[in-house]
Amino acid sequence: MSGGKVLVTGATGFLGGHLVDGALHQGHRVRALVRPGRDTARLRALPGVELVTGDLTDTDSLHRAAEGCATVLHSAARVVDHGSRAAFERTNVRGTRLLMAAARAAGAHRFVFVSSPSALMGVRDGDRLGIAEDAPYPHRFFNHYCATKAAAEREVLAADTAGFTTVALRPRGIWGPRDTSGFLPTLVAAMRAGRLPDLSGGKRVLVSLCHVDNAVDACLRAAVAPAARVGGRAYFVADREVTDLWDFLARVAALLGCDPPGPKVPLPAGRALAATVETLWRLRPGPARTGPPMSRYMMALLTRSTTYDTTAAHRDLGYEAPRTQTEALRDLPTWFPPSDRPRGAAGFDAVRTDRGDTPR
């Protein structure tokens, strides 16, 4: 990443903010694209960070942001499980296309796109273990988010040329400090309120998660890896550990002194309830300002065993997942403020996915 600034999109968000920190730690100058009205106090306090106000739909702001930047770390996206196809297309597909055009025009030579394993998530997928990069895109995507992340990823990889190297990373379930609205704080809030049932159906749900430090490490490695090796390729990125999801949540609850998920809900009942809640939410009159309290997408993420093979990232990027779950969990209580909420009856109403907090 030598020879110019690093442009980071989504810099006021969870992963984007950590990407800024990681690039600064390596001695790079950083330009951050920030949307109007976002809290930029933390970024403004960081030496070596320049802010450009704009968004992925504003071509002029993208050209201002890309000017003089040799590398782009693109983490901004519409990451929710509700909304029109047009809204997802506008941000995830067209926004990425416009950003790439601005980067090429500015002379950038590396474009790192933060994609998602959801780009391979189909409607009828069951448990899938050890998925590698040769897995095909599904014929029917689970939702608009999945479909548009796949479409954007395809455009990014197809744009790889001599002098403009593109690479996509697919981290799953990013977690770590400074996350205020992602999957883990959302589920922690539900457990603290006593409103997160055990949706596992009594089976082990094995998943890949990705600590934010590991995601940042992979992005920074992708920014400097040999173009001939990584150009036009996508890579899964995850923690070293395969995680038993509901056991993991019970461990988190114990560390934070709150009740673990419960009671157990049979899988058919949980899936039927999620479908009913989502359908009723869509039938509500008026514009939707928030997402449904439970969705089929969130239910699938919480009940399908899905793990990813990171062999290719190890081989081509030298990725080793520097942060272990044991190390990260040791510091977990410092990430969450003490809760004064009383423990209550179980239910679904605290499990929300409407603030851009759906796991990638």
Side-chain angles (χ1 to χ4, degrees):
M1 291 192 292
S2 60
K5 292 181 181 179
V6 177
L7 171 60
V8 177
T9 70
T12 58
F14 172 41
L15 174 58
H18 282 274
L19 286 172
V20 169
D21 295 347
L24 290 174
H25 182 71
Q26 290 191 354
H28 304 291
R29 293 173 298 152
V30 173
R31 182 173 292 144
L33 178 67
V34 297
R35 293 177 65 187
R38 293 301 177 105
D39 183 0
T40 59
R42 194 191 77 86
L43 293 175
R44 292 184 184 281
L46 297 175
V49 177
E50 177 187 352
L51 304 186
V52 170
T53 301
D55 63 49
L56 296 175
T57 65
D58 181 354
T59 303
D60 290 341
S61 71
L62 296 182
H63 283 278
R64 290 197 308 272
E67 183 179 359
C69 293
T71 302
V72 177
L73 304 178
H74 178 32
S75 72
R78 180 179 175 87
V79 189
V80 291
D81 59 358
H82 66 280
S84 69
R85 176 65 183 248
F88 282 94
E89 288 274 356
R90 186 166 53 248
T91 299
N92 293 350
V93 183
R94 184 170 181 271
T96 299
R97 185 185 306 142
L98 292 175
L99 180 62
M100 281 199 296
R104 278 194 299 261
H109 60 74
R110 186 65 58 104
F111 190 94
V112 179
F113 174 61
V114 180
S115 186
S116 168
S118 291
L120 271 67
M121 188 173 177
V123 171
R124 300 190 180 281
D125 291 347
D127 294 340
R128 303 173 69 194
L129 303 180
I131 302 169
E133 285 79 4
D134 59 358
Y137 297 104
H139 295 294
R140 288 186 60 206
F141 291 95
F142 197 97
N143 59 16
H144 296 326
Y145 172 69
C146 300
T148 55
K149 288 300 283 188
E153 179 183 281
R154 282 169 151 161
E155 290 202 21
V156 168
L157 300 183
D160 180 69
T161 59
F164 187 71
T165 302
T166 63
V167 58
L169 300 180
R170 299 165 173 170
R172 161 59 81 209
I174 304 174
W175 63 293
R178 297 210 309 264
D179 185 8
T180 59
S181 60
F183 88 96
L184 189 56
T186 300
L187 296 177
V188 165
M191 289 191 294
R192 282 179 160 176
R195 292 174 178 169
L196 180 64
D198 181 342
L199 302 170
S200 67
K203 72 165 189 170
R204 294 182 73 199
V205 179
L206 301 178
V207 299
S208 293
L209 300 179
C210 189
H211 189 274
V212 68
D213 289 351
N214 296 335
V216 168
D217 179 79
C219 287
L220 297 178
R221 288 178 179 275
V224 297
R229 184 184 302 165
V230 303
R233 300 195 62 173
Y235 296 92
F236 289 116
V237 179
D239 295 340
R240 303 177 195 176
E241 303 86 352
V242 170
T243 303
D244 183 331
L245 178 60
W246 292 91
D247 177 70
F248 177 81
L249 292 175
R251 291 166 62 197
V252 168
L255 286 167
L256 298 179
C258 59
D259 289 332
K264 292 184 184 297
V265 175
L267 276 175
R271 288 168 178 162
L273 181 57
T276 300
V277 169
E278 185 174 321
T279 299
L280 292 174
W281 175 86
R282 287 177 175 170
L283 294 175
R284 293 185 309 169
R289 292 187 174 86
T290 65
M294 190 61 183
S295 69
R296 286 172 287 189
Y297 181 58
M298 179 60 79
M299 186 71 186
L301 293 174
L302 293 175
T303 60
R304 290 181 180 179
S305 286
T306 316
T307 65
Y308 300 92
D309 184 347
T310 60
T311 299
H314 171 74
R315 180 193 66 224
D316 294 349
L317 305 178
Y319 173 72
E320 297 286 357
R323 180 74 66 185
T324 68
Q325 285 190 3
T326 298
E327 294 168 344
L329 285 173
R330 190 178 301 127
D331 298 329
L332 184 75
T334 66
W335 306 349
F336 291 97
S339 174
D340 56 2
R341 295 183 183 180
R343 297 177 180 179
F348 285 87
D349 56 302
V351 185
R352 302 215 56 86
T353 60
D354 57 290
R355 297 183 298 272
D357 53 14
T358 305
R360 295 180 184 266

